[in-house]
Amino acid sequence: MNYFFKGKFSNIYILIGVFFSLTLSACQWPKDPDDTFKKIIRNGQLRVAVIQSPPWVNYQGSIVSGIEVEIISQFAASIKVYPVWKPLSEQMAVIALKKHQVDLIIGGLTDQDPWQKYFTMTRPYFTAEYYIGLPKDHAAIRLPKNQNIAVKTNSFLIPYIMEKDFKVLESADPFTTQLPVAAEKNYLIYKAFKAYIKLCRFSHVIVVPLGENYLLKKLESFLKHNSAQFLQKGINPDDENTTI
Amino acid sequence: MTKTPRSEFNQKQLKVLKKAKLVSWVTIAYFGSVVILMFLVMGKSQAMKTTWTEDMLSLIPPINFLIGCRFCQKKPTQHFPYGFHRVVSVGFFFAAAALLLMGSFLFIDGLIVLLSREHPGIGQINIFGHFIWLGWLMIIVMIWGTVPSLFLGRIKLQLSKKIFDKILYTDAEMNRDDWLVGIVVILAIIAIGWGIWWADALGGMLISINVLADGIKQTKESVINLIDSAPKSLTGKYLSLGKRIKVRLKENPLIEDANVKLRDQGHIIFGEIFLKLKGQSTITAKQLNIMLTQIYQLDWRLQNLVITIQ
């Protein structure tokens, strides 16, 4: 052990000790390299790029609504700033983020996003699992090949259903079709269905500028404590979310 | 060729060899754990990614050593009349070449990251319901990846000197230098916390330079060894053994002049001695054998000398 306490070692330990104590006394840890959070507070504005993606983000003209819109509105309120929504496509949102024109991006983004090397993502605040479900009181049966599965019109689940060798019936309200329904798991349960066959899963995230670790920390803490309330009923793309 | 297997080592050294093999297995298990843990926490930090690669490379020397041990003890065959002692030297070359290649790659990768000005995003991780900054976990894993390595390095250094194993010695030196890598990475992570984003890429580059420097040095040593240079000590200095043998031989009244050529064969040394006898004198086989026995006592590594009377 004497080996570790000779000359140069003790100097290094002192250096590390100094760093640690300075660290603990710092007011913002970890610090934003570009001071994004400080600028948000200073300007009183949280600029959010929104990508059309119901039910996460839904904008009609100047009215913006959606699950993630509600979450971020609450987050902005928690840090006492005013949210500003900027509708953009995903590519333009990423460019705007890089050029410091926006502070966050929302729009149903997942941890499999192909642009992820250009930004930092929060830990997933919700993992949506999509299943084929049958009514709760229905006896558990093995669904035959080419069975029709009801799904919302133009749903992204269609290719996943067809991969399982089933047929697809698109409907405005799949739950009235008397057929098995493909939807998000919590929503199936909400509609008194039981989830049987797993189709896919997506872990949803919020996007912050690359390396802005303090903003990331504040957002992740907020999401951890508050996001559950917005997702209790599961995801229904039809839901009339409250408008902001 | 004799039927009984010739062991390079004496009884005491065989015990040291056994201990060295055990330490190598422990090293493999240890670095295996470090690699797994680092993979889980490294996130987007370039310094951590470089250290992770370096720790994967640290698995090569102990595996090399264990393979070398298996082969170097095998007795010579018809197709391999000189035995398998040089497997150690070849293994050392492969390890050195791997370090050189990976060091170059890591350096270029670090440079690209630094020039592209990518800020490392390090968020929180959920541990049993508590959120802690991933950077702290990285530091803890780095400490685990550094401190035991120092102990292992010390043990291996002492063992390598007893059996003159270059692979083990180099491995020990690299393990001992790990403390510097640990300091660089820990400081880089703390610097990220301070908002100094470029400290991460810089730290990564410094570590890659360390790997590259090791790679260059070891490749050079290994190539020199493979082209049959005169034997060197573990630290890389040429041995004075050839001269000492020559002096010893010239003490014999029958010998006018002697020339000695020695070459490295892994743990041991083979060589040729060219004797010029005085005038018309002759030398008997018995006298030669006595002479050889005396010379073998100069260094335990001398194990196969051929005498040619000119």
Side-chain angles (χ1 to χ4, degrees):
Chain A
M1 273 309 275
N2 289 335
Y3 189 74
F4 299 111
F5 292 100
K6 283 189 195 150
K8 58 186 172 185
F9 277 114
S10 50
N11 287 338
I12 303 288
Y13 287 146
I14 290 168
L15 193 66
I16 293 178
V18 166
F19 262 113
F20 266 113
S21 25
L22 283 175
T23 300
L24 293 170
S25 61
C27 42
Q28 210 192 62
W29 182 269
K31 194 171 174 291
D32 281 339
D34 288 333
D35 286 325
T36 306
F37 189 78
K38 274 190 184 157
K39 286 177 188 163
I40 293 168
I41 301 294
R42 195 169 55 218
N43 298 335
Q45 261 190 8
L46 179 69
R47 302 163 304 169
V48 188
V50 293
I51 303 166
Q52 178 75 348
S53 171
W56 308 102
V57 170
N58 206 343
Y59 56 82
Q60 322 272 344
S62 58
I63 300 169
V64 185
S65 64
I67 297 172
E68 286 181 356
V69 169
E70 280 187 36
I71 293 173
I72 296 301
S73 300
Q74 285 248 359
F75 172 67
S78 76
I79 55 171
K80 300 182 178 55
V81 298
Y82 182 69
V84 174
W85 313 105
K86 298 185 181 233
L88 290 165
S89 68
E90 189 166 339
Q91 184 182 355
M92 291 306 153
V94 171
I95 291 171
L97 194 74
K98 268 190 88 67
K99 292 190 184 290
H100 311 291
Q101 297 303 304
V102 294
D103 307 309
L104 297 178
I105 305 178
I106 59 172
L109 302 169
T110 71
D111 64 358
Q112 290 170 42
D113 197 289
W115 295 98
Q116 56 183 282
K117 69 176 243 209
Y118 295 103
F119 48 66
T120 297
M121 304 182 287
T122 61
R123 304 222 130 234
Y125 67 90
F126 178 68
T127 298
E129 291 179 312
Y130 297 88
Y131 281 79
I132 294 174
L134 291 166
K136 214 161 55 171
D137 44 12
H138 205 284
I141 50 155
R142 200 184 161 83
L143 293 170
K145 270 200 181 26
N146 297 324
Q147 162 74 45
N148 266 326
I149 308 289
V151 78
K152 189 91 176 80
T153 316
N154 292 325
S155 170
F156 70 89
L157 294 171
I158 292 171
Y160 292 99
I161 299 167
M162 292 174 82
E163 267 170 25
K164 301 268 181 198
D165 293 327
F166 294 123
K167 282 214 178 99
V168 168
L169 183 82
E170 295 179 64
S171 161
D173 189 357
F175 288 94
T176 57
T177 56
Q178 309 291 323
L179 288 169
V181 178
E184 193 263 328
K185 184 176 167 194
N186 291 335
Y187 192 65
L188 284 171
I189 293 166
Y190 173 70
K191 286 286 202 182
F193 269 57
K194 204 162 174 200
Y196 274 112
I197 301 170
K198 191 166 178 185
L199 290 171
C200 57
R201 69 198 287 247
F202 289 100
S203 297
H204 286 269
V205 299
I206 310 268
V207 162
V208 303
L210 196 62
E212 298 301 286
N213 296 314
Y214 189 69
L215 173 60
L216 182 68
K217 177 182 170 179
K218 291 297 272 186
L219 188 54
E220 281 182 332
S221 301
F222 178 83
L223 289 170
K224 180 191 171 197
H225 294 114
N226 297 292
S227 60
Q229 59 182 282
F230 299 100
L231 297 150
Q232 271 161 0
K233 281 198 295 198
I235 303 159
N236 174 19
D238 224 9
D239 209 358
E240 297 297 332
N241 287 307
T242 44
T243 56
I244 309 295
Chain B
M1 270 94 45
T2 50
K3 284 225 169 103
T4 49
R6 260 180 75 91
S7 174
E8 296 178 332
F9 301 120
N10 61 35
Q11 282 299 104
K12 216 172 164 189
Q13 284 171 325
L14 284 173
K15 280 193 187 142
V16 170
L17 189 70
K18 199 172 168 186
K19 200 173 175 192
K21 280 187 193 174
L22 180 66
V23 173
S24 293
W25 280 113
V26 168
T27 307
I28 292 170
Y30 163 67
F31 276 112
S33 77
V34 172
V35 164
I36 291 167
L37 284 172
M38 271 208 191
F39 180 73
L40 293 172
V41 303
M42 67 182 187
K44 300 246 160 61
S45 164
Q46 182 67 13
M48 285 294 282
K49 190 175 123 189
T50 313
T51 314
W52 177 64
T53 315
E54 197 225 357
D55 283 334
M56 282 203 287
L57 289 171
S58 297
L59 284 168
I60 297 178
I63 294 172
N64 230 346
F65 173 73
L66 290 167
I67 294 174
C69 280
R70 274 203 92 125
F71 274 96
C72 69
Q73 300 278 77
K74 277 176 82 164
K75 62 176 180 173
T77 66
Q78 189 187 30
H79 299 294
F80 293 95
Y82 290 99
F84 298 89
H85 309 287
R86 294 212 85 179
V87 170
V88 175
S89 313
V90 171
F92 185 57
F93 173 73
F94 276 119
L99 273 180
L100 184 64
L101 283 170
M102 283 314 294
S104 319
F105 168 75
L106 287 170
F107 179 76
I108 294 169
D109 190 43
L111 192 63
I112 291 172
V113 167
L114 186 64
L115 293 176
S116 66
R117 290 151 153 244
E118 286 176 15
H119 296 198
I122 299 178
Q124 322 291 310
I125 194 167
N126 203 344
I127 306 271
F128 308 117
H130 293 285
F131 259 17
I132 59 166
W133 188 50
L134 193 63
W136 300 131
L137 270 187
M138 286 184 191
I139 290 173
I140 292 169
V141 169
M142 273 313 299
I143 293 172
W144 168 243
T146 311
V147 174
S149 175
L150 292 167
F151 282 108
L152 282 173
R154 268 197 98 191
I155 295 169
K156 281 191 270 196
L157 202 70
Q158 288 162 359
L159 293 174
S160 70
K161 284 177 185 167
K162 290 184 184 152
I163 55 171
F164 202 94
D165 192 288
K166 185 72 178 168
I167 294 177
L168 201 64
Y169 180 80
T170 320
D171 186 21
E173 274 197 323
M174 287 196 335
N175 286 163
R176 234 185 24 175
D177 292 340
D178 262 354
W179 72 271
L180 193 61
V181 170
I183 301 289
V184 167
V185 176
I186 290 172
L187 288 177
I189 294 165
I190 294 173
I192 295 171
W194 278 91
I196 309 169
W197 59 269
W198 46 264
D200 180 49
L202 186 70
M205 279 187 67
L206 286 173
I207 296 163
S208 75
I209 288 170
N210 184 36
V211 174
L212 190 60
D214 274 340
I216 292 171
K217 181 178 160 213
Q218 288 179 30
T219 307
K220 191 175 144 193
E221 280 176 6
S222 160
V223 166
I224 287 172
N225 178 283
L226 285 172
I227 57 171
D228 289 338
S229 76
K232 288 178 161 183
S233 69
L234 283 171
T235 51
K237 289 206 178 86
Y238 283 107
L239 296 175
S240 60
L241 194 55
K243 281 196 190 126
R244 280 161 51 209
I245 296 173
K246 193 171 172 174
V247 161
R248 215 13 152 21
L249 288 168
K250 280 181 135 171
E251 281 170 9
N252 192 307
L254 289 172
I255 292 166
E256 188 184 320
D257 199 13
N259 266 317
V260 181
K261 284 201 301 196
L262 297 175
R263 64 174 187 281
D264 223 301
Q265 288 276 113
H267 300 124
I268 57 178
I269 296 174
F270 285 10
E272 285 108 44
I273 299 174
F274 301 87
L275 295 177
K276 196 171 176 189
L277 299 176
K278 279 191 179 139
Q280 300 293 318
S281 50
T282 53
I283 192 164
T284 65
K286 192 175 173 184
Q287 284 170 315
L288 282 174
N289 275 323
I290 294 168
M291 204 186 325
L292 262 181
T293 315
Q294 287 175 346
I295 292 169
Y296 280 144
Q297 277 166 7
L298 285 174
D299 193 328
W300 73 267
R301 291 183 69 205
L302 283 173
Q303 298 216 5
N304 199 344
L305 292 169
V306 175
I307 301 183
T308 305
I309 315 286
Q310 286 176 317

